[in-house]
Amino acid sequence: MSYKLIDAPLLTADQIRTRVYELAQALESTTNEPLHLVAVLKGSIVFLADLIRAMRGPITLDFIAVSSYDVNVSSGAVQLLKDIDTNIKDRSVVIIEDIVDTGLTLEYIQTLLRSKKPKTLHSVCLLSKPSRRQTKVVIDHVGFEIEDHFVVGYGLDYEQQYRHLPHISVVEVTSKQ
Ligand code: IMP
């Protein structure tokens, strides 16, 4: 495989900041109850960090990890690497995901968390690629819908690189002949 990072951002840091603030407001307007946020490691950490600082609270945090992407292709098989640490029974829970591609990861996490009987379960993602969807997974709040590009930055990686970028850029991946 060879790849090339496209210089011009697909989404600038300013665009992301504005939208994350709107998402924080939308999330808090859904309920007056304390929210328990479950962030999906590792890609959602930057999104989570900005989102919670735009919220008034009260909020609590938890983390879940599932099997990661195989470079730029979804394997379709999701495995739990780290479960949440908290009892979420009867609590208002929100899944914080970086990007929804096929939807298989989010669907798996929703099913797992629903089995723990939360009072409510909502899902927020920063990015969504609707054209890639393989399930009818429900996402309550979507930051940006994007085309079928592989993107990095703002927490998202390509082979663990580029998570630190403040903006989101496209990576062009090509197979070497
Ligand atoms: P899904 O199960 O196909 O929806 O994939 C979700 C996961 O794949 C995300 O949590 C990301 O870790 C990863 N992923 C999907 N698309 C991208 C991308 O464009 N850049 C980086 N990671 C991605």
Side-chain angles (χ1 to χ4, degrees):
M1 292 275 195
S2 68
Y3 68 93
K4 180 171 171 258
L5 182 69
I6 306 296
D7 284 339
L10 181 68
L11 295 165
T12 65
D14 274 349
Q15 284 175 298
I16 298 169
R17 191 177 308 113
T18 303
R19 189 68 186 123
V20 169
Y21 181 76
E22 289 170 357
L23 289 173
Q25 289 191 316
L27 206 51
E28 291 203 302
S29 68
T30 58
T31 178
N32 288 326
E33 299 199 16
L35 292 175
H36 188 65
L37 307 187
V38 176
V40 184
L41 293 172
K42 302 172 186 168
S44 70
I45 56 160
V46 180
F47 177 36
L48 176 76
D50 284 346
L51 191 71
I52 57 175
R53 286 179 294 172
M55 293 173 76
R56 289 182 307 276
I59 55 169
T60 48
L61 300 183
D62 214 326
F63 296 91
I64 192 167
V66 292
S67 53
S68 61
Y69 237 54
D70 179 10
V71 190
N72 69 332
V73 178
S74 178
S75 66
V78 183
Q79 273 186 312
L80 185 65
L81 300 178
K82 184 214 165 295
D83 203 348
I84 55 172
D85 301 325
T86 318
N87 182 356
I88 58 169
K89 189 168 187 302
D90 297 329
R91 300 186 66 177
S92 299
V93 175
V94 184
I95 300 167
I96 310 296
E97 177 64 299
D98 51 359
I99 186 164
V100 179
D101 185 17
T102 63
L104 295 170
T105 303
L106 184 59
E107 186 172 67
Y108 173 90
I109 294 169
Q110 287 179 344
T111 304
L112 177 72
L113 296 190
R114 249 186 232 117
S115 73
K116 299 174 190 284
K117 309 278 183 241
K119 182 174 179 184
T120 59
L121 182 64
H122 289 95
S123 302
V124 182
C125 71
L126 181 67
L127 304 174
S128 171
K129 298 186 212 173
S131 66
R132 296 258 311 155
R133 210 68 96 239
Q134 289 179 21
T135 64
K136 288 190 175 151
V137 69
V138 175
I139 316 169
D140 302 282
H141 304 282
V142 175
F144 301 93
E145 288 194 347
I146 62 169
E147 303 291 319
D148 181 11
H149 299 301
F150 196 83
V151 291
V152 294
Y154 201 71
L156 290 155
D157 75 304
Y158 174 75
E159 294 185 336
Q160 300 303 323
Q161 299 297 315
Y162 304 120
R163 293 192 196 275
H164 65 291
L165 297 178
H167 53 267
I168 288 171
S169 284
V170 173
V171 168
E172 276 181 359
V173 183
T174 49
S175 323
K176 270 191 183 152
Q177 296 302 316

